[in-house]
Amino acid sequence: MSGIFGRTAKSNKPGVVKQNAARKVTCGQVMQRPRVLSSTVTMDRVLTTLTSRDWDHLFLVDDLGIPVGRIHAVDMLKLIQRKRVNRDLAWMQAVEASQLISQPPMQVSSRTPLLKAAALMITHDINQMAVVDHEGVLIGMISHAIVARHLPKFIL
């Protein structure tokens, strides 16, 4: 609403307050513990870890804890399917899991607003994203489930 001198009055409506509060929620405030393995483990170890812990994904990190990539269970299944002629799965014990990575993982800072991270996940069609500290070390992860758990309280 414009005043006589062209200034805009601030709205104190509850919806505006909730909207501003939603923009202040950061990834660091709501992130979960990441599912992590070293980038030097074998593909066999990745598959064993995914199945034994009932995980759908995990992040591979280097010796410093910096994310190298993200592996999803579906990607592992696709690779195994392509190797179906070779019934001997010994190749999985010889190949490093880092060879599954085709591109670096999407990551955000712990200070990144959750709304921005959610938009990135939707834009890039990914379900999870790494959260890193100021040195690039993996400290957490966010997912669509986390977004769905925290943002509705600002909408309703």
Side-chain angles (χ1 to χ4, degrees):
M1 179 181 264
S2 274
I4 298 173
F5 301 104
R7 287 189 245 157
T8 305
K10 271 192 172 180
S11 175
N12 290 328
K13 294 179 183 178
V16 173
V17 172
K18 282 185 175 184
Q19 185 179 28
N20 289 334
R23 290 184 178 142
K24 292 180 182 179
V25 177
T26 65
C27 293
Q29 293 171 321
V30 298
M31 67 185 179
Q32 288 182 334
R33 219 169 113 208
R35 298 165 177 174
V36 179
L37 283 179
S38 167
S39 61
T40 60
V41 300
T42 64
M43 290 174 41
D44 181 58
R45 171 80 188 275
V46 170
L47 185 60
T48 302
T49 302
L50 287 171
T51 55
S52 67
R53 296 186 181 175
D54 198 24
W55 290 352
D56 64 343
H57 78 281
L58 56 80
F59 291 96
L60 295 179
V61 295
D62 66 11
D63 294 337
L64 301 174
I66 297 173
V68 176
R70 181 180 73 94
I71 296 178
H72 200 278
V74 171
D75 298 331
M76 289 288 297
L77 290 172
K78 288 177 183 176
L79 181 66
I80 292 168
Q81 176 64 21
R82 276 183 265 156
K83 295 280 191 180
R84 70 177 180 249
V85 175
N86 180 3
R87 296 293 179 200
D88 179 15
L89 295 181
W91 62 272
M92 288 181 62
Q93 296 174 339
V95 177
E96 280 192 11
S98 59
Q99 295 203 13
L100 276 175
I101 300 167
S102 59
Q103 56 187 333
M106 290 288 300
Q107 58 190 37
V108 291
S109 161
S110 60
R111 295 182 308 269
T112 301
L114 185 60
L115 280 173
K116 181 176 181 178
L120 285 170
M121 285 191 293
I122 291 169
T123 302
H124 294 281
D125 194 26
I126 56 175
N127 299 325
Q128 303 88 14
M129 190 179 300
V131 179
V132 297
D133 66 9
H134 65 282
E135 294 178 348
V137 175
L138 182 65
I139 57 171
M141 74 102 188
I142 57 162
S143 65
H144 290 301
I146 291 172
V147 172
R149 205 173 300 130
H150 292 282
L151 291 184
K153 63 184 166 191
F154 298 107
I155 298 168
L156 304 174

